[in-house]
Amino acid sequence: MADLAAARDLMSFIDASPSPFHACANAAARLEATGFGALDETDPWPPDARRNYFVRDGSLVAWRTPASAGPTTGFRIVGAHTDSPNLRVTPHPDVSRAGVDLIDVEVYGGTLFNSWLDRDLGLSGRVGLRNREVRLVLVDRPIARIPQLAIHLDREVNAGLTLNPQQHLNPLWAIGGADFGAFVAAELGVEAPELAFWDLMFHDVTPSALIGRNDEFVSASRLDNLCSSWAAIDALISADDPTSIAVVALFDHEEIGSSSNRGAASPVLESTLERITLSLGGGRDEWRRALAASSCLSADMAHATHPNYSERHEPNHWIALNGGPVVKTNVSQRYATDARSAPDFIAACDDAGVPVQHYVHRNDMVCGSTIGPITAARLGIATLDVGAPQLAMHSARELMGSADVAWYRDAMRAFFARG
């Protein structure tokens, strides 16, 4: 029987987090409600910083330091990401064609173009004002749509839909010369000249749902990778007291390569771990010793075997929805899993009574990657890649098993507790 309470809590988190900035704000609120204190990266960190977090734009790092921890205590890290493929608003977005006002967008990440057609779209993200204030924006009502061309005007569409992202993905949102900047300013309650820049994106406003004959599935946007983000935060909050320092790192920009000031390729996690060691009285040697005793769980989603496209999957490694977390392996190091890092997670799943599956990509297809290899290379620590199985990855609307939600969280909880 699936733990539907966990699935419903995940759906609530996803629906409230249409942008990476909202995901961090909501994760922070959950941490604050359970006794974690916010730190500022520009301030000195106190020696008693034992249940803390900070937010850097669309990324968040949180940690729990046990009372027994010393300057060489290792870290047990769960890394995930807050961003998902979508359509982002350009600096000069106002377009008019055929008497209709459209919004110019730029494709973010490996988006499935067709999945954004004929959906009611809202707007979210953040705006920087000229006074340097940064404000969150959430327009969680249908204000735009990308209508598909009628079949009468493209009789061959069912033989293969081709979409040009420059020409075919601009959402329609008004008639009569609408001004996007003025609209955003009104939503914020400021004057349009006060807007300096924005990081705004569209999202499907349809709420997440349990579907299936017996609620077997979760249908939602951004399962990749807000499911992992939710599970990591919930596990950090609820895990038994660890002996290692439990850390969650939620990175932005994974979907576009992680090379940014807050992505997994940045120093954000590395500098945080060093500062934690320093706050415990250690120096550089102690920090390096702590890293040598550390491990990282790279938590992204995993491809379930698609029942309509089973030939696209490695035949000896089929993955079932509601079959438990997936250990992901790739010998070319697109995933970081190896014989040193994997047994610890498998044992954690055994502790929690959670089943485990193993994923390998087909040899004749290019394998995707995660923050796992980046983190392993940057920190030099044992790292493995895991995920919850899902279908329709990178669609505007994705699907996973409802039982896998709690299992995924419970596996992370046990991973922290083993430290």
Side-chain angles (χ1 to χ4, degrees):
M1 184 72 176
D3 182 352
L4 295 184
R8 291 190 177 97
D9 192 50
L10 167 64
M11 293 190 298
S12 176
F13 180 78
I14 289 174
D15 290 347
S17 306
S19 79
F21 315 110
H22 289 87
C24 287
N26 290 317
R30 289 173 177 237
L31 292 166
E32 291 269 1
T34 53
F36 285 74
L39 295 178
D40 192 302
E41 290 186 89
T42 63
D43 292 336
W45 289 358
D48 59 348
R50 296 190 176 272
R51 291 172 66 91
N52 293 92
Y53 76 92
F54 69 85
V55 174
R56 182 188 291 185
D57 301 310
S59 295
L60 176 149
V61 183
W63 62 94
R64 285 175 56 180
T65 305
S68 60
T72 60
T73 299
F75 305 94
R76 291 178 78 80
I77 305 160
V78 174
H81 65 90
T82 59
D83 60 320
S84 300
N86 58 21
L87 304 176
R88 304 212 169 187
V89 181
T90 65
H92 298 292
D94 292 314
V95 178
S96 181
R97 289 199 297 264
V100 177
D101 299 320
L102 304 95
I103 298 172
D104 189 48
V105 296
E106 187 175 4
V107 173
Y108 177 88
T111 305
L112 277 171
F113 297 162
N114 67 295
S115 70
W116 286 84
L117 303 180
D118 298 326
R119 293 185 181 274
D120 294 335
L121 303 177
L123 185 74
S124 62
R126 65 178 183 174
V127 170
L129 303 179
R130 293 189 183 277
N131 64 4
R132 297 188 178 181
E133 182 184 2
V134 177
R135 303 264 298 272
L136 290 182
V137 174
L138 177 56
V139 183
D140 203 25
R141 62 183 189 273
I143 63 167
R145 190 179 178 94
I146 308 172
Q148 189 167 188
L149 184 66
I151 193 170
H152 313 83
L153 304 177
D154 184 4
R155 293 292 184 180
E156 303 302 317
V157 64
N158 288 325
L161 175 63
T162 300
L163 296 172
N164 182 311
Q166 178 67 27
Q167 183 180 357
H168 300 139
L169 295 183
N170 292 324
L172 284 65
W173 81 301
I175 294 176
D179 184 324
F180 181 80
F183 171 80
V184 172
E187 288 292 319
L188 291 175
V190 301
E191 298 298 321
E194 297 180 56
L195 305 182
F197 201 82
W198 52 60
D199 300 313
L200 295 173
M201 59 208 73
F202 285 103
H203 65 274
D204 181 2
V205 298
T206 306
S208 303
L210 289 167
I211 68 169
R213 183 188 60 178
N214 294 310
D215 293 336
E216 291 97 334
F217 309 110
V218 174
S219 172
S221 301
R222 303 178 298 281
L223 289 172
D224 175 19
N225 193 27
L226 291 188
C227 178
S228 300
S229 298
W230 168 87
I233 292 295
D234 201 68
L236 181 69
I237 290 170
S238 60
D240 293 337
D241 289 335
T243 55
S244 297
I245 301 169
V247 180
V248 166
L250 307 182
F251 299 104
D252 199 356
H253 293 152
E254 190 275 342
E255 297 293 358
I256 54 172
S258 296
S259 294
S260 70
N261 73 316
R262 56 188 182 270
S266 77
V268 62
L269 176 58
E270 182 178 4
S271 63
T272 301
L273 303 182
E274 183 177 19
R275 293 184 73 178
I276 293 171
T277 295
L278 292 173
S279 73
L280 294 170
R284 192 163 184 84
D285 183 66
E286 286 79 13
W287 174 53
R288 289 296 181 183
R289 290 167 64 188
L291 285 183
S294 300
S295 60
C296 177
L297 188 70
S298 167
D300 212 331
M301 300 299 276
H303 297 293
T305 302
H306 199 302
N308 292 337
Y309 300 90
S310 58
E311 72 281 0
R312 297 287 182 136
H313 299 267
E314 212 292 316
N316 286 332
H317 296 85
W318 285 22
I319 303 299
L321 295 172
N322 289 327
V326 181
V327 174
K328 302 189 289 187
T329 306
N330 181 265
V331 295
S332 296
Q333 289 299 291
R334 302 294 286 171
Y335 304 133
T337 307
D338 62 19
R340 179 174 296 278
S341 59
D344 189 35
F345 176 74
I346 293 171
C349 289
D350 290 341
D351 292 344
V354 172
V356 177
Q357 305 185 83
H358 290 270
Y359 178 84
V360 175
H361 210 64
R362 285 184 64 98
N363 280 307
D364 54 1
M365 296 174 65
V366 176
C367 183
S369 192
T370 68
I371 64 166
I374 297 171
T375 304
R378 184 159 191 101
L379 298 180
I381 64 177
T383 305
L384 77 152
D385 275 284
V386 303
Q390 72 161 99
L391 297 173
M393 188 178 290
H394 286 199
S395 173
R397 189 79 173 184
E398 299 173 325
L399 189 74
M400 70 178 295
S402 55
D404 286 319
V405 177
W407 276 338
Y408 199 29
R409 185 268 321 277
D410 292 348
M412 293 184 193
R413 186 185 288 166
F415 172 79
F416 281 136
R418 286 180 60 84

